[in-house]
Amino acid sequence: MRILIILFFLAQQALSQNLDFSMLKSLNKNEHPNLDISMRITSTSIYPVMVAAPSTLFLTGYINNDKVMMRNGLKTGAAIGLNLLLTSGLKYTINRPRPFEQYPNDIVKRTDAGKYSFPSGHTSTAFATATALTLSTKKWYVAVPSYAYACAVGYSRMRLGVHFPSDVLGGMIVGIGTSLLVFQIDKWIQKN
């Protein structure tokens, strides 16, 4: 019975890896120089966004003498910082090779990337930022473009050949989770 259970889980893992690879291969295949340039821009734009989002919230709160918005800026910065720590820790704990290293004949590397793949740091940062902005403003017109941008960042990482879809999904979960955690901890602190 144990052998059947082990074989079942091994078969599931193989199936999910094949699905992960085949999805990535379809997203990464055709060469479109203009698309590749825009994907690189989308991907690297997360660096200024992760600084601008908490800074803008904090400065807006400061200018308007809104202590809640200032605190939201600090929480957003804390969420992004925690996200970066968790993502880096997971990358070096899991040690998953990049897709272009695992499948050099099938996946085209279209940008520079670090050594490890899971989870996607760009994606996790984009989703941590989107979630923090949404929790800070509670406005649909902030949430919708924020999450659309985060999805575009995730797509760009696959298109550029540096992440599997499961890396991007992992990044989404870590990013959303860190912002929810930081905002929940702040609620507990405010309650006491």
Side-chain angles (χ1 to χ4, degrees), residues 118-141:
F118 184 88
S120 168
H122 287 74
T123 305
S124 68
T125 303
F127 276 91
T129 304
T131 303
L133 287 172
T134 299
L135 293 170
S136 295
T137 63
K138 296 180 176 70
K139 306 284 187 200
W140 71 268
Y141 53 82

Side-chain angles (χ1 to χ4, degrees), residues 5 37 43 45 47-48 57 68 72 80 87 89 98 109 112 142:
I5 293 171
I37 291 168
S43 189
S45 68
Y47 298 117
L57 288 170
V68 171
N72 286 340
I80 292 169
T87 302
R98 296 282 179 174
K109 176 186 173 190
D112 292 330
V142 173

Side-chain angles (χ1 to χ4, degrees), residues 165-178:
S166 58
D167 300 336
V168 171
L169 179 61
M172 290 171 61
I173 292 167
V174 171
I176 291 169
T178 53

Side-chain angles (χ1 to χ4, degrees), residues 6-189:
I6 292 169
L7 288 175
F8 173 76
F9 282 112
L10 289 175
Q12 290 297 100
Q13 185 178 5
L15 180 64
S16 65
Q17 285 178 349
N18 288 337
L19 180 62
D20 209 24
F21 170 69
S22 63
M23 286 175 62
L24 176 62
K25 191 173 177 180
S26 70
L27 293 171
N28 178 256
K29 61 180 182 181
N30 300 324
E31 297 228 11
H32 299 287
N34 292 337
L35 178 61
D36 293 343
I37 291 168
S38 67
M39 290 295 101
R40 278 190 218 105
I41 292 168
T42 300
S43 189
T44 58
S45 68
I46 192 58
Y47 298 117
V49 167
M50 72 184 211
V51 172
S55 301
T56 301
L57 288 170
F58 185 83
L59 288 173
T60 300
Y62 182 78
I63 290 167
N64 295 327
N65 199 24
D66 182 347
K67 297 203 185 296
V68 171
M69 192 57 71
M70 288 172 62
R71 189 172 186 92
N72 286 340
L74 294 173
K75 289 187 290 189
T76 299
I80 292 169
L82 176 61
N83 171 71
L84 292 171
L85 286 172
L86 286 174
T87 302
S88 295
L90 285 168
K91 278 182 185 284
Y92 285 96
T93 301
I94 296 169
N95 297 332
R96 184 181 195 185
R98 296 282 179 174
F100 59 83
E101 292 173 345
Q102 233 174 327
Y103 302 100
N105 297 326
D106 296 307
I107 303 300
V108 178
K109 176 186 173 190
R110 293 189 170 98
T111 192
D112 292 330
K115 188 170 183 174
Y116 300 120
S117 183
F118 184 88
S120 168
H122 287 74
T123 305
S124 68
T125 303
F127 276 91
T129 304
T131 303
L133 287 172
T134 299
L135 293 170
S136 295
T137 63
K138 296 180 176 70
K139 306 284 187 200
W140 71 268
Y141 53 82
V142 173
V144 171
S146 296
Y147 282 108
Y149 168 73
C151 289
V153 170
Y155 173 80
S156 74
R157 302 308 287 166
M158 293 181 289
R159 171 70 190 155
L160 296 171
V162 294
H163 283 293
F164 290 101
S166 58
D167 300 336
V168 171
L169 179 61
M172 290 171 61
I173 292 167
V174 171
I176 291 169
T178 53
S179 286
L180 290 174
L181 178 64
V182 166
F183 277 71
Q184 185 59 50
I185 289 171
D186 184 64
K187 277 185 187 176
W188 293 333
I189 291 170

